[in-house]
Amino acid sequence: MALLLAEVDNGRVSRRFPETARNRIGRPKAGGIASRLAGITRQGNLQIVSVKPFSTALLTVVIATSAAADEVRLAVAANFNAPMHRIAAQFEKDSGHKLLISFGSTGKLYGQIANGAPFEALLAADSDTPARLEREGYGVLGTRFTYAIGKLVLWSANPALVDDRGDILKTRSIGHLAIANPKTAPYGAAAITAMSRLGVIGKLRPILVQGESIAQTHQFVASGAAELGFVALSQVQTEGGIGAGSAWLVPDNLYEAIRQDAILLTKGRDKPATTALLAYLRSSKAQLVIRAYGYELP
Amino acid sequence: MNSALPDLAAVWLTLKLATVVTILLLIVGTPIAWWLARTRSPLRGVVGAVVALPIILPPTVVGFYLLIAMGPHGPLGRLTESLGLGLLPFTFSGLVIASLFYSLPFVVQPIQNAFEAIGERPLEVAATLRAGPWDVFWSVAVPLARPGFVSGAILGFAHTVGEFGIVLMIGGNIPERTRVVSVQLYDHVEAMEYAQAHWLAGGMMLFSFLVLTMLYAFNPRPRKTG
């Protein structure tokens, strides 16, 4: 969020809005003030970042500088927040396009897309939702691909609590164990599978608390309100290691791989900028970032 | 039928929460409203502002700070732990305390307005008839402010039923303990179970409509006094 604003502030506005400018001039529109800059709102955990043109006067000057730049409206699963900000900054710098990203849970984003949200591509937290969007005609056929494979960790804000084998789940009595809602969040479902395969689900069920998304689950644990929680590795990994607290990387054989798929949506079908972004996600530059945040690649 | 059971549990829990909160708010809110209505203290503005704060603050902000305050490192959390009560997040008691704070203005303000509308005169008249302050309060002020109490109780109840952001932040979505209707509804929508979501949402609409109809139909207009 901050970085989007910063870039607008330091004079790069000139590269950003020509497409919009052309549209505006192409179909003459009343109303001088072409809009405000940067409306940032927070609704629940959904962030809407939008940067809109200053004024038509400025835009006329702008058109000459670069004709290819465009805006891409993107819906991104909450767990991919941190890497997406890095990738977005690089992509904007490399391509001159501008990304408008809405973060939210995959279920909510699905509901919004099915009800006419203007997103041009979705980066989901699972593979089912993109498949469903394709089936229902909201996604473009044959554009699905796995952009990241999520890793589950058992994490505590307390640096001494979690051992490197996850034995704490079996041995100690725990206050609260936070998971993401297994009905709606793939990381929550993976946590349930892992506990079942470890044979501890029966013992742990009474102390489970659910976050509505993996982001909220992380918050429960970070605040200490829940002693332990299953979160995404991407949330606790900084360059090269666990940032704070203690964690156990849950072995792959304890849960089904969390394949996070992206899909081009019908609203982005004929937009080169959107296609460029999806291609960029598969570039080595983006993949470096994705790996650094603790995801695997297909 | 099976899929309706969690919904019923959520409805029951919500009604229980709203009832407990409303009763406690009438007990806590009445003295605050009385004080705000009568005092000439310079603190009146500050206290009034604190009471009204939840009207302005987004519930997620309040919920986030409550989560931190009630957690093991927060002041409230330390207090409850030292009292041997354990931690409040993810418990029914935690929801009650959060709701008390969040619904406070909806109870205090109507009662305060009703007290203010009475004016000095009836109270002074009662005092000249040798009623003590306690007697004046119960025999004159409270009956005259009845419409304010009714509005406050109904608004407090309804607002607690409709609460979502805070419960989501500190509740932990535990069936039969913290999973209230609004959270259950949100879950249905998130899980794309739109049919069940419609039932619950429709039920809530109907409930709210009935409550408000009752409020407007049965609440007598304030009597003319003075």
Side-chain angles (χ1 to χ4, degrees):
Chain A
M1 221 154 53
L3 58 96
L4 296 182
L5 283 177
E7 292 195 13
V8 175
D9 284 343
N10 66 28
R12 294 188 62 246
V13 189
S14 50
R15 302 181 54 191
R16 322 215 137 216
F17 308 111
E19 184 67 33
T20 327
R22 238 185 293 129
N23 289 346
R24 277 183 194 284
I25 291 158
R27 72 189 134 81
K29 209 175 161 187
I33 319 283
S35 303
R36 324 117 280 190
L37 170 74
I40 298 179
T41 55
R42 246 174 185 280
Q43 296 169 344
N45 68 338
L46 179 72
Q47 300 171 15
I48 302 159
V49 181
S50 70
V51 181
K52 291 185 176 170
F54 281 115
S55 70
T56 4
L58 175 63
L59 290 169
T60 34
V61 184
V62 161
I63 299 176
T65 52
S66 95
D70 202 349
E71 288 183 352
V72 182
R73 288 172 190 276
L74 205 58
V76 177
N79 75 81
F80 204 61
N81 189 319
M84 195 61 222
H85 275 106
R86 290 269 304 271
I87 294 170
Q90 286 180 1
F91 175 75
E92 292 187 335
K93 214 169 107 202
D94 292 354
S95 70
H97 297 310
K98 166 103 204 78
L99 294 183
L100 302 176
I101 308 171
S102 300
F103 292 101
S105 72
T106 303
K108 194 181 322 164
L109 294 172
Y110 166 84
Q112 292 173 340
I113 291 162
N115 288 288
F119 302 129
E120 292 155 4
L122 168 72
L123 274 63
D126 63 2
S127 49
D128 293 347
T129 306
R132 179 168 173 176
L133 286 166
E134 184 184 281
R135 217 168 41 240
E136 293 174 351
Y138 301 111
V140 179
L141 214 65
T143 59
R144 280 187 289 139
F145 69 97
T146 304
Y147 65 92
I149 297 172
K151 294 277 147 196
L152 189 68
V153 287
L154 178 68
W155 179 61
S156 169
N158 178 348
L161 197 62
V162 181
D163 52 283
D164 55 6
R165 292 170 56 199
D167 285 341
I168 178 143
L169 290 174
K170 297 172 189 164
T171 55
R172 246 194 63 163
S173 56
I174 309 157
H176 289 287
L177 173 66
I179 61 170
N181 188 338
K183 246 167 64 180
T184 55
Y187 286 90
I192 294 283
T193 311
M195 286 186 282
S196 313
R197 291 191 188 168
L198 284 168
V200 292
I201 183 83
K203 182 182 94 122
L204 295 175
R205 204 176 278 284
I207 60 160
L208 288 185
V209 294
Q210 292 178 14
E212 55 111 1
S213 66
I214 196 69
Q216 207 202 355
T217 310
H218 178 267
Q219 213 169 68
F220 282 161
V221 185
S223 69
E227 273 183 284
L228 273 177
F230 282 101
V231 298
L233 177 60
S234 56
Q235 296 176 298
V236 293
Q237 168 146 329
T238 52
E239 312 282 330
I242 299 298
S246 51
W248 170 54
L249 184 62
V250 181
D252 291 351
N253 60 353
L254 288 180
Y255 61 95
E256 309 303 327
I258 303 166
R259 303 185 76 88
Q260 303 197 182
D261 283 5
I263 186 169
L264 178 68
L265 301 171
T266 48
K267 291 207 159 86
R269 194 197 297 268
D270 299 318
K271 286 190 65 177
T274 312
T275 319
L277 173 81
L278 291 177
Y280 193 85
L281 274 174
R282 286 188 270 197
S283 71
S284 54
K285 221 170 168 178
Q287 291 192 332
L288 209 64
V289 177
I290 295 173
R291 264 190 216 282
Y293 277 90
Y295 294 94
E296 278 184 3
L297 293 165
Chain B
M1 198 58 211
N2 252 347
S3 63
L5 280 179
D7 287 353
L8 285 179
V11 169
W12 171 239
L13 182 72
T14 306
L15 294 178
K16 195 170 94 177
L17 176 69
T19 307
V20 171
V21 168
T22 307
I23 292 169
L24 289 176
L25 274 179
L26 286 174
I27 296 169
V28 176
T30 304
I32 298 177
W34 179 252
W35 185 82
L36 282 173
R38 313 278 310 161
T39 187
R40 297 202 178 92
S41 157
L43 286 177
R44 186 180 184 272
V46 177
V47 175
V50 170
V51 169
L53 215 50
I55 298 182
I56 302 170
L57 288 177
T60 41
V61 171
V62 179
F64 181 63
Y65 282 116
L66 281 173
L67 180 67
I68 292 175
M70 290 174 169
H73 312 299
L76 256 178
R78 288 202 180 129
L79 179 72
T80 54
E81 275 202 313
S82 67
L83 293 174
L85 299 172
L87 289 171
L88 288 171
F90 318 126
T91 64
F92 183 75
S93 317
L95 287 196
V96 170
I97 288 177
S99 307
L100 280 182
F101 175 66
Y102 198 58
S103 294
L104 189 63
F106 294 87
V107 176
V108 168
Q109 292 191 346
I111 300 177
Q112 181 191 342
N113 291 339
F115 281 150
E116 282 169 356
I118 295 171
E120 295 290 329
R121 193 119 183 263
L123 308 180
E124 283 167 1
V125 170
T128 58
L129 296 173
R130 289 215 238 140
W134 194 247
D135 198 13
V136 170
F137 178 76
W138 285 109
S139 312
V140 181
V142 170
L144 284 177
R146 203 181 70 100
F149 281 96
V150 176
S151 304
I154 292 180
L155 284 178
F157 188 89
H159 190 249
T160 308
V161 168
E163 180 179 300
F164 171 66
I166 292 188
V167 179
L168 192 70
M169 294 295 278
I170 66 161
N173 198 357
I174 305 168
E176 295 177 29
R177 265 165 53 206
T178 60
R179 184 182 290 165
V180 296
V181 170
S182 53
V183 173
Q184 176 82 353
L185 178 55
Y186 182 76
D187 267 13
H188 283 321
V189 174
E190 290 273 286
M192 307 171 199
E193 297 161 354
Y194 295 146
Q196 277 151 294
H198 279 312
W199 275 110
L200 219 46
M204 259 185 117
M205 287 261 286
L206 189 68
F207 168 79
S208 313
F209 177 73
L210 289 177
V211 166
L212 290 175
T213 307
M214 262 167 50
L215 174 65
Y216 292 125
F218 296 118
N219 200 6
R221 284 158 199 285
R223 273 168 275 184
K224 290 218 158 51
T225 55

